[in-house]
């Protein structure tokens, strides 16, 4: 069985190194018969996209497939590493040791490379820092989170819940990272609360990737974020109509949003903006930055609420008093 495994690996290496190699050439390289090579190729066809280009033209891989990287799971790598201890290596072909070393070194090299790529990506992403923390005091927790998302592994994390001002240890299946302003949020299934939750990355105090695998099942990010302006999800159904002036209309059109608003160009160069949301808070905060260049037309109750807030603000600034 071990000899057959080595031969299968040799076939894969030979096809990758010599696209178009014939069955006869493979047989010579592997020290076996052409008939055995045909049987081996039928086995490999289940796990590798091997194509025969036609009579006398040999074998090659379809598309960008390559034997390297091996893409072992942790369990598969562990089992393969145990192979020399499970068999009598003195009865194996002399090339076993070098073939084994090549496989393990390829796997190790790819794991190292993947870790370096994730670390480099996480290193160039700049996030804001909570005002109460000193800069440089926190580890980059994006690294284990990104690795866990890519590997489909559950994380164990210490999380600071601001509303209760408490630190909890919980296991989370990380689904997606969502950037908003100078912050990152993690969408994932919380084992503690037994539902999909949104977590602010800056509130994680520690993150460890576990060996437990997870499956997102039928979770759909588009459906989850439907009618959500930013990250604050609610249960309401509010249809806003806002008129933007010609000064800010071009900037509104290039905003990146989860929702798909309806935008209508006005005769004066302005823009009529209509959107249905499940929560109003973040949308109104976003509108505030445009000041008088944005006017809420509907719903009428929100228009009245904004007017009330403006009058309250005016009370603070009605005279030029200094502290």
């Amino acid at each position: 069985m071990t000899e057959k495994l080595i031969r299968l690996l040799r076939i894969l290496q030979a096809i990758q190194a010599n696209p178009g190699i014939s069955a006869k050439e493979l047989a010579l390289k592997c020290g076996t018969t052409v008939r055995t090579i045909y049987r081996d190729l039928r086995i490999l066809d289940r796990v590798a996209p091997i194509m025969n280009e036609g009579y006398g033209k040999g074998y090659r891989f379809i598309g960008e497939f390559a034997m390297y990287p091996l893409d072992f799971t942790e369990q598969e790598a562990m089992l393969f590493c145990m192979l020399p201890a499970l068999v009598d290596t003195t009865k194996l072909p002399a090339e076993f040791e070098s073939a084994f070393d090549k496989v393990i070194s390829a796997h190790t090299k790819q794991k190292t490379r993947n870790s370096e790529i994730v670390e480099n990506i996480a290193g160039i992403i700049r996030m804001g820092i909570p005002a109460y923390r000193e800069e440089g005091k926190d580890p980059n927790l994006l690294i284990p989170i990104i690795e866990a998302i890519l590997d489909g592994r559950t994380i164990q994390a210490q999380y600071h819940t601001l509303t209760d001002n408490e630190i909890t240890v919980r296991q989370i299946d990380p689904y997606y990272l969502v950037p908003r302003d100078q912050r990152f949020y993690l969408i994932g299934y919380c084992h503690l609360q037994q539902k999909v939750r949104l977590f602010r990355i800056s509130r994680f105090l520690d993150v460890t990737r576990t060996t437990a695998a997870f499956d997102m099942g039928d979770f759909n990010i588009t459906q989850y974020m439907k009618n959500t302006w930013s990250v604050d999800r609610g249960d309401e159904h509010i249809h806003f109509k806002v008129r933007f002036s010609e000064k800010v209309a071009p900037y509104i059109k290039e905003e990146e949003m989860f929702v798909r608003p309806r935008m209508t160009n006005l005769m004066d160069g302005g823009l009529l903006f209509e959107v249905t949301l499940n929560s109003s808070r973040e949308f109104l905060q976003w509108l505030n930055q445009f000041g008088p260049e944005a006017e809420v037309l509907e719903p009428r109750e929100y228009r009245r609420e904004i007017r009330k807030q403006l009058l309250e603000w005016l009370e603070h600034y009605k005279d030029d008093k200094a502290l």
Side-chain angles (χ1 to χ4, degrees), residues 67 69-82 103-104 106-108 110-111 114 147 150-153 209-214:
M67 180 189 167
L70 292 172
D71 198 23
F72 275 164
T73 65
E74 292 299 318
Q75 291 81 0
E76 289 169 340
M78 186 184 304
L79 183 62
F80 196 83
C81 289
M82 292 169 60
V103 173
I104 294 300
H107 174 65
T108 303
Q110 181 61 25
K111 277 191 65 180
N114 287 345
E147 288 179 338
L150 294 176
D151 291 344
R153 303 293 172 181
R209 182 179 55 163
T210 72
T211 57
F214 70 84

Side-chain angles (χ1 to χ4, degrees), residues 119-148:
E119 189 169 346
N120 288 337
I121 291 173
I124 63 176
I125 296 173
R126 308 311 301 166
M127 298 187 298
I129 299 172
Y132 63 87
R133 290 189 193 172
E134 294 182 36
E135 188 172 0
K137 294 293 184 181
D138 297 315
N140 192 339
L141 298 180
L142 275 180
I143 296 174
I145 291 174
I146 293 174
E147 288 179 338

Side-chain angles (χ1 to χ4, degrees), residues 208-226:
T208 304
R209 182 179 55 163
T210 72
T211 57
F214 70 84
D215 184 353
M216 283 195 290
D218 59 356
F219 178 81
N220 184 296
I221 182 67
T222 303
Q223 188 63 33
Y224 181 80
M225 300 303 293
K226 184 179 180 180

Side-chain angles (χ1 to χ4, degrees), residues 182-318:
Q182 298 182 60
R183 300 181 290 275
F184 264 92
Y185 294 86
L186 172 67
I187 296 174
Y189 179 80
C190 177
H191 290 232
L192 182 65
Q193 298 188 341
Q194 297 187 349
K195 64 179 180 180
V196 175
R197 280 279 318 279
L198 190 85
F199 300 94
R200 183 165 161 172
I201 297 297
S202 62
R203 292 180 186 157
F204 284 111
L205 304 180
D206 182 61
V207 174
T208 304
R209 182 179 55 163
T210 72
T211 57
F214 70 84
D215 184 353
M216 283 195 290
D218 59 356
F219 178 81
N220 184 296
I221 182 67
T222 303
Q223 188 63 33
Y224 181 80
M225 300 303 293
K226 184 179 180 180
N227 295 338
T228 300
W229 179 254
S230 182
V231 293
D232 189 20
R233 298 173 69 245
D235 300 318
E236 301 177 89
H237 191 81
I238 312 164
H239 187 75
F240 281 99
K241 282 188 181 181
V242 181
R243 179 167 53 212
F244 290 98
S245 73
E246 71 280 3
K247 291 182 181 179
V248 298
Y251 301 101
I252 302 302
K253 291 177 182 178
E254 68 174 10
E255 281 281 348
E256 298 175 8
M257 313 170 189
F258 279 126
V259 296
R260 297 297 298 171
R262 178 183 176 185
M263 294 185 284
T264 306
N265 293 321
L266 301 177
M267 294 294 292
D268 61 358
L271 182 71
L272 180 63
F273 184 97
E274 298 180 66
V275 65
T276 301
L277 302 173
N278 55 36
S279 177
S280 62
R281 185 177 62 87
E282 289 179 329
F283 178 67
L284 294 177
Q285 288 176 347
W286 176 75
L287 281 182
N288 284 340
Q289 67 183 301
F290 299 105
E293 308 301 330
E295 179 186 359
V296 174
L297 304 177
E298 295 180 8
R300 302 294 295 181
E301 60 266 30
Y302 283 91
R303 182 179 174 89
R304 288 192 293 268
E305 181 62 29
I306 292 171
R307 184 176 184 278
K308 179 183 175 183
Q309 288 181 1
L310 290 173
L311 291 173
E312 290 175 357
W313 286 0
L314 186 61
E315 283 296 312
H316 291 293
Y317 298 98
K318 64 181 180 181

